[in-house]
Amino acid sequence: MLAGKFEANVVFIHVGVPLPEQMKIFANLLEKHGYRNQGYKMVFREGDVQSVIWDVCNEEHVDLLVSGALRKESPERQYFGSIARGLAGNPKGPIMLIPEPAVPAKPIKKIIAPIPANNPAQMIEAGLYLAKQTENATLYFVKESIFNADPLAVPDYTEVEGFNDASLMIVDLEYAQIHEALRLYDKAGLDIKVKVVFGLPGTGIVAFAKNIGADLIINALTDLKNNNNDFGYPGDIEVILMNLPCNFLLFN
């Protein structure tokens, strides 16, 4: 779906040397899914999986790496790391994780763009761009409340009703700030919603994504590099990676 949408060539990467029967299987799968007349390349190479994949992406000038991923992994896999989460946890370029690949691809109808406390322009512009490229999609700009700054302030996930009047005034201000930032952009023809969520970093975003049945969460690679806090808890991107509620795109 992505390749057709953006008229892109596709590079398939297989780490390891395939057996002749595997080559035949690959060729049959490509033909079955319409790649006979579409530009593509297959690369087979031995070595460390993550290193090989990013090396090939660099050599082939890949704009986006797409990888399958489990929605939720065992604590052991989370601790030691899986290939997909390893690729996303130390990315060398844009990457999309797809927890439930399907053919034909499931259409993207609900997109979540988390709004950071500082410099929200990047996420707003990225969210609007994707929404304009995706037919009939609803774009949710989601902000983790400032209450997340203190992990002792709220439980893992809390609805608005759990706060007192003074807290609700701050939440209203957060909504107003997002709407004010959005006022500067062309939103004609787009279905846009704004949501403030609460809880430990990332927890509210994951819960909200599950609640609405989101198809895609996007975030910036720059946010991943700064994804830590003063309390020793995982950052929001790490939490999303550990509990993938839907497809997840990390971009430049």
Side-chain angles (χ1 to χ4, degrees):
M1 184 176 74
L2 284 172
K5 180 70 176 179
F6 295 99
E7 299 181 349
N9 293 325
V10 181
V11 179
F12 294 97
I13 305 171
H14 177 83
V15 181
V17 178
L19 299 172
E21 53 267 31
Q22 290 177 311
M23 289 290 290
K24 185 177 181 179
I25 293 173
F26 291 149
N28 290 339
L29 283 172
L30 289 172
E31 184 174 342
K32 177 181 178 181
H33 296 297
Y35 278 94
R36 170 181 285 182
N37 299 317
Q38 183 174 339
Y40 74 89
K41 180 177 183 178
M42 295 194 69
V43 177
F44 302 95
R45 187 176 300 177
E46 292 184 287
D48 175 75
V49 176
Q50 294 181 35
S51 298
V52 166
I53 290 174
W54 284 120
D55 286 347
V56 173
C57 287
N58 181 58
E59 294 165 11
E60 298 293 333
H61 305 290
V62 169
D63 299 300
L64 175 66
L65 172 63
V66 179
S67 173
L70 295 177
R71 282 193 180 275
K72 190 175 182 66
E73 295 179 340
S74 66
E76 293 83 3
R77 289 295 295 276
Q78 289 183 13
Y79 181 80
F80 292 107
S82 66
I83 292 173
R85 283 168 173 79
L87 290 168
N90 186 28
K92 311 297 183 185
I95 178 171
M96 176 182 282
L97 298 184
I98 302 180
E100 292 184 354
V103 177
K106 179 183 175 183
I108 295 175
K109 295 299 184 182
K110 297 178 181 180
I111 303 170
I112 292 179
I115 299 296
N118 299 317
N119 189 26
Q122 182 182 35
M123 287 303 302
I124 291 175
E125 291 169 5
L128 292 175
Y129 172 79
L130 275 176
K132 290 175 181 178
Q133 304 301 316
T134 309
E135 186 176 357
N136 299 323
T138 299
L139 173 61
Y140 294 84
F141 286 111
V142 180
K143 183 181 185 301
E144 292 183 307
S145 174
I146 60 171
F147 291 107
N148 288 353
D150 183 357
L152 302 180
V154 293
D156 280 354
Y157 182 65
T158 305
E159 295 293 338
V160 172
E161 290 76 9
F163 294 99
N164 58 34
D165 291 342
S167 301
L168 290 176
M169 290 177 60
I170 298 177
V171 173
D172 288 341
L173 178 60
E174 291 180 306
Y175 273 106
Q177 289 172 336
I178 300 174
H179 285 293
E180 178 63 21
L182 288 172
R183 190 177 60 83
L184 304 174
Y185 296 91
D186 176 20
K187 305 177 290 298
L190 299 179
D191 182 16
I192 296 175
K193 302 184 185 301
V194 174
K195 179 73 173 179
V196 175
V197 297
F198 311 90
L200 300 180
T203 307
I205 292 175
V206 169
F208 179 69
K210 291 178 178 178
N211 287 345
I212 67 168
D215 301 301
L216 176 66
I217 299 175
I218 65 173
N219 222 317
L221 290 173
T222 50
D223 290 341
L224 176 61
K225 294 174 183 177
N226 301 320
N227 196 41
N228 47 41
N229 53 60
D230 295 332
F231 300 98
Y233 287 88
D236 55 349
I237 295 179
E238 291 172 314
V239 171
I240 295 171
L241 287 174
M242 289 189 293
N243 304 274
L244 282 176
C246 59
N247 300 332
F248 187 38
L249 171 63
L250 280 167
F251 64 92
N252 286 330

